[in-house]
Amino acid sequence: MEKLEEIQIECSIEKALEIIGGKWSFLVIKELFDGTKRFGELQRAIPKISPKALTDTLRHLEAHEVLTRETFPTVPVTVEYTLTEKGHSLNKMLKEMKKWGAQWGK
């Protein structure tokens, strides 16, 4: 009997979740909708996130071109994060998630 090959079907939702990343990504993206922020500003805005989790999240989002990281030669070095066009395109989806959470997250 022949062994059937497993068929891989790409799922757009899986692709989106891979790009967005973990649970902290949504909160980081939400904060960056208001404009460019520094690491410390993001950490203050999301008080429950650890520095390591924030660093990992920012690196993931940068690798997936959701945000850009710009460094300035100051002492200490200043680093700013800004959403890309790809990142800004998540705005509508996050607004819908916010509405859904308000309705069903009780």
Side-chain angles (χ1 to χ4, degrees):
M1 187 181 278
E2 274 185 54
K3 184 177 179 182
L4 293 176
E5 285 187 39
E6 186 176 320
I7 298 173
Q8 292 287 330
I9 299 173
E10 288 190 15
C11 176
S12 297
I13 294 172
E14 285 181 60
K15 286 182 189 179
L17 290 173
E18 172 58 32
I19 291 168
I20 295 166
K23 69 177 184 177
W24 297 114
S25 295
F26 291 102
L27 297 176
V28 169
I29 293 166
K30 179 180 98 41
E31 289 302 321
L32 292 176
F33 282 137
D34 294 333
T36 300
K37 297 257 180 6
R38 294 181 182 174
F39 187 92
E41 292 174 308
L42 289 168
Q43 197 166 26
R44 283 188 295 280
I46 311 167
K48 293 184 179 182
I49 193 170
S50 71
K52 181 184 181 331
L54 180 55
T55 298
D56 291 346
T57 300
L58 290 167
R59 286 181 181 158
H60 176 87
L61 293 172
E62 182 183 13
H64 286 85
E65 301 175 346
V66 174
L67 59 79
T68 59
R69 177 183 189 268
E70 187 174 3
T71 59
F72 300 93
T74 57
V75 179
V77 174
T78 301
V79 180
E80 293 182 342
Y81 299 92
T82 307
L83 286 179
T84 61
E85 182 181 349
K86 186 178 189 177
H88 278 288
S89 71
L90 295 166
N91 196 349
K92 184 176 179 182
M93 179 181 67
L94 291 180
K95 282 183 178 179
E96 290 301 317
M97 288 177 68
K98 184 177 178 180
K99 286 182 199 174
W100 188 89
Q103 182 177 353
W104 299 103
K106 298 173 184 175

